[in-house]
């Protein structure tokens, strides 16, 4: 569908610019496609250029930019935001989405430090580096301001068994969100967080065959359409900067979260 003919699309005069990390698959791809098809221009960031190109090809008529980026590397992050600025001239939205679960099912006492560090570098340090770069652009541009949406998780509230690295980083993202939201007020920089439970992606494929529960049993869990997450992110993104969804939780209705454990 041509975004210009989509009744939900932004008018050309209101077209906005986004950076989406982890845009080559899963939630990142779904959000990028939702934005592209509704009038946004999007810089697609991720480690694999070929999957980013596949995302861009899903909405070929929309303005997009593919930038190979490892969010845990400061030089890569700087190059991403420089490229987005050079191509589009400003930044209205960062969807801070890149992340990794790490080695699931490993007891705390057996988790290698290298595995812990990989998860922290991607989920937390990467989110900070991207938020910092976006914050600088949003503070300096004219008109000033913009929005950062961090992809938290249900695990930012309640852990799954044997997921210490992932859970710790997602709890830390909540603190990052709150600090950015507070510090961004003078510059019209809004920051919110979306906590997602069991969106149907490759990362959650195991839910359909059985996931370890807090009582030690393995159970199949329901999932939801990732497009419903993408529409929620777009709603958050398109609010005026005078309004902010600070935290949103979107989950498969019957998943074991409320009362988990």
């Amino acid at each position: 569908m041509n975004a210009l003919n989509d009744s939900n699309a932004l008018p050309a005069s209101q077209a906005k610019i986004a950076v989406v990390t982890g845009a080559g698959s899963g939630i990142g791809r779904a959000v990028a496609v939702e934005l592209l098809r509704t009038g946004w221009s999007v810089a697609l960031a991720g480690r694999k250029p070929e999957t980013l190109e596949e995302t861009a090809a899903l909405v070929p008529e929309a303005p997009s930019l593919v930038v190979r980026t490892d969010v845990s590397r400061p030089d890569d992050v700087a190059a991403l935001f420089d490229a987005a600025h050079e191509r589009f001239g400003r930044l209205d939205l960062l969807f801070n989405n890149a992340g990794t679960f790490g080695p699931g099912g490993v007891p705390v006492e057996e988790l290698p430090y290298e595995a812990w560090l990989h998860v922290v570098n991607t989920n937390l340090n990467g989110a900070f580096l991207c938020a910092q770069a976006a914050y600088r652009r949003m503070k300096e541009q004219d008109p000033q301001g913009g929005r950062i949406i961090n992809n938290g998780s249900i695990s930012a509230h309640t852990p799954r068994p044997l997921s210490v690295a992932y859970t710790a980083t997602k709890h830390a993202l909540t603190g990052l969100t709150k600090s950015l939201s507070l510090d961004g007020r003078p510059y019209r920089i809004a920051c919110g967080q979306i906590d997602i439970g069991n969106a149907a992606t490759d990362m959650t494929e195991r839910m359909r065959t059985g996931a370890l529960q807090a009582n030690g049993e393995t159970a199949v869990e329901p999932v939801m359409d990732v497009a419903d997450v993408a529409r929620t992110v777009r709603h958050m993104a398109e609010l005026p900067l005078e309004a902010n969804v600070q935290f949103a939780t979107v989950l498969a209705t019957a998943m074991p979260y409320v009362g988990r454990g």
Side-chain angles (χ1 to χ4, degrees), residues 12 31-32 53 60-61 78-79 84 87 101 136 167 175 184 195 200 209 216 224 238 242 254:
V31 169
E53 295 285 359
E61 69 277 10
R87 171 69 182 275
F101 192 80
R136 288 170 175 160
T167 298
D195 296 322
T209 57
M224 63 176 170
E238 292 183 351
E242 292 72 23

Side-chain angles (χ1 to χ4, degrees), residues 6 17 29 60 67 83 85-86 91 95 152 154 166 196 201 206 233 242 248:
D6 187 340
I17 312 303
R29 172 174 284 181
V67 187
H85 181 74
E86 181 178 348
L91 178 64
F95 181 47
I154 294 299
Y166 184 78
I196 301 162
T201 67
R206 60 195 175 88
V233 172
E242 292 72 23

